[in-house]
Amino acid sequence: MRLIVLDRAQARARFHRAPFALRHSLAGHVLFTLPRLVALAQSMPRDRIEYNSGRIEPGVRPEDVPGIAMPAENVIRRIENANAWLVIKGVELDPAYRALLQAFLTAVSNAAGPGSEPFEDLQGFIFVSSAGSVTPFHFDAEENILVQIRGDKYVHVFDNADRSLVPEERLELSPSKHRNQPYRVEFERRAEVFSLIPGDAVHIPYLWPHWVHTGDSWCVSMAMTWKTPAVRRLNKIRLMNGTLRRYGLPQPAPGLSQLRDGAKVALHDGARLVTEPLRRSEALRRGLRGLIYGSGANYYYRGS
């Protein structure tokens, strides 16, 4: 079987614009066995791993999410009975996972046809979840294909143009802001639900809100993500807007002023040039987040 199987006409019409389903041949791959995932977790810096109880509601407040008092590798070993949700972030740092990510997204890009925007900043996130686990209502600031490896998973996706679901202010980016968004049951009338089994995948475009729950068995999934040049620019503006709002300077949405947007991109790039060498250290990353955005920016250390 090919690495991916999809409807090319649908992919070309909906890629980066709207969700669509596809198939893949990664179910059962050795990189997603529990022993390999334990080894991966042990090799990663602590701020690349986040985990908590999976028995939560789609609209749970961040401060109400229960933690789990055991190391991440034990959560993975015991995932069948741990009632847990865990994600390993930035798995592209491992050469084997990076090669897989590149091969998969190259196949997707080829299927999308000529004229598709370049893929930049490839990142991988591996989710290990117990049965009945919930990933609360949120959005992702990148393009995403969620690949189902083991177990069944249900992905509720909502139109990102509907500001009654997620207002523009909440789309601003900031390490001090938890990804969970307020959710109401009546939102479900506007959901498109994708039911995934091993071998299934779904493309979730930039900023499309969604929440996820697993079925009756523990799951392994991988979010394969990337950014286009347009997304990278929007993220720089939204990060500056979120940072300035934190300091009492609310800003207009991206696209309303080219002059302001350009100044924010330049300010972002200048600040990143100074801080990038410091970000190579986990301790300095944690310190910078806390210094600029407050202690809430390091919320994922609550896991153990």
Side-chain angles (χ1 to χ4, degrees):
M1 184 178 180
R2 291 174 294 170
L3 188 57
I4 63 165
V5 177
L6 47 66
D7 181 324
R8 288 178 177 268
Q10 182 186 61
R12 292 176 182 180
R14 299 174 73 89
F15 196 50
H16 294 163
R17 300 181 184 91
F20 64 89
L22 60 150
R23 294 282 297 169
H24 65 87
S25 59
L26 297 178
H29 196 290
V30 66
L31 287 178
F32 301 102
T33 61
L34 290 188
R36 183 64 176 88
L37 295 176
V38 167
L40 176 64
Q42 291 172 329
S43 72
M44 299 293 279
R46 177 60 184 84
D47 63 347
R48 302 285 187 184
I49 303 174
E50 182 181 349
Y51 56 100
N52 50 250
S53 171
R55 297 299 174 89
I56 51 181
E57 295 297 321
V60 65
R61 297 188 306 170
E63 60 269 28
D64 293 337
V65 176
I68 295 178
M70 71 174 79
E73 55 266 33
N74 287 350
V75 173
I76 297 172
R77 290 188 184 104
R78 303 175 187 177
I79 197 63
E80 186 171 2
N81 300 305
N83 294 328
W85 173 96
L86 178 146
V87 59
I88 308 173
K89 308 174 185 180
V91 303
E92 73 282 352
L93 296 175
D94 183 298
Y97 292 96
R98 180 163 187 84
L100 183 64
L101 179 66
Q102 288 176 324
F104 191 96
L105 293 183
T106 296
V108 172
S109 181
N110 291 340
S116 62
E117 293 186 77
F119 281 42
E120 301 178 354
D121 193 18
L122 274 58
Q123 296 184 42
F125 302 78
I126 295 179
F127 299 91
V128 186
S129 310
S130 301
S133 293
V134 169
T135 305
F137 187 60
H138 69 288
F139 62 85
D140 297 315
E142 55 266 326
E143 307 285 354
N144 179 5
I145 294 179
L146 181 64
V147 177
Q148 189 66 10
I149 306 296
R150 189 196 187 282
D152 51 338
K153 182 169 277 190
Y154 303 88
V155 185
H156 302 238
V157 186
F158 302 79
D159 187 348
N160 74 334
D162 190 343
R163 289 293 167 266
S164 68
L165 298 173
V166 182
E168 178 62 39
E169 178 182 339
R170 289 193 168 273
L171 295 177
E172 294 175 355
L173 305 178
S174 169
S176 65
K177 294 171 65 174
H178 197 282
R179 67 179 168 273
N180 292 5
Q181 299 293 317
Y183 168 88
R184 299 193 302 274
V185 173
E186 54 265 32
F187 287 0
E188 282 305 304
R189 294 195 299 268
R190 287 170 273 180
E192 181 177 7
V193 182
F194 293 84
S195 301
L196 307 183
I197 61 174
D200 286 339
V202 58
H203 172 44
I204 306 174
Y206 176 66
L207 297 185
W208 282 63
H210 54 283
W211 69 276
V212 183
H213 65 94
T214 60
D216 296 329
S217 178
W218 60 273
C219 284
V220 177
S221 309
M222 183 173 179
M224 300 192 178
T225 76
W226 67 96
K227 299 180 180 71
T228 64
V231 163
R232 294 189 72 161
R233 187 173 191 273
L234 285 169
N235 281 354
K236 292 175 182 180
I237 298 166
R238 287 194 161 99
L239 178 60
M240 295 309 304
N241 283 358
T243 302
L244 292 168
R245 183 180 296 276
R246 173 175 169 77
Y247 291 99
L249 298 168
Q251 299 293 306
L256 297 180
S257 169
Q258 291 189 5
L259 184 62
R260 286 195 186 197
D261 286 353
K264 290 170 188 173
V265 170
L267 183 59
H268 173 280
D269 289 348
R272 191 66 182 237
L273 188 65
V274 173
T275 60
E276 188 59 33
L278 304 177
R279 289 169 49 82
R280 295 169 190 159
S281 159
E282 179 185 355
L284 290 176
R285 286 197 302 270
R286 183 173 184 173
L288 280 171
R289 285 190 297 260
L291 178 65
I292 299 171
Y293 296 102
S295 60
N298 291 304
Y299 66 86
Y300 35 80
Y301 283 99
R302 290 193 307 126
S304 58

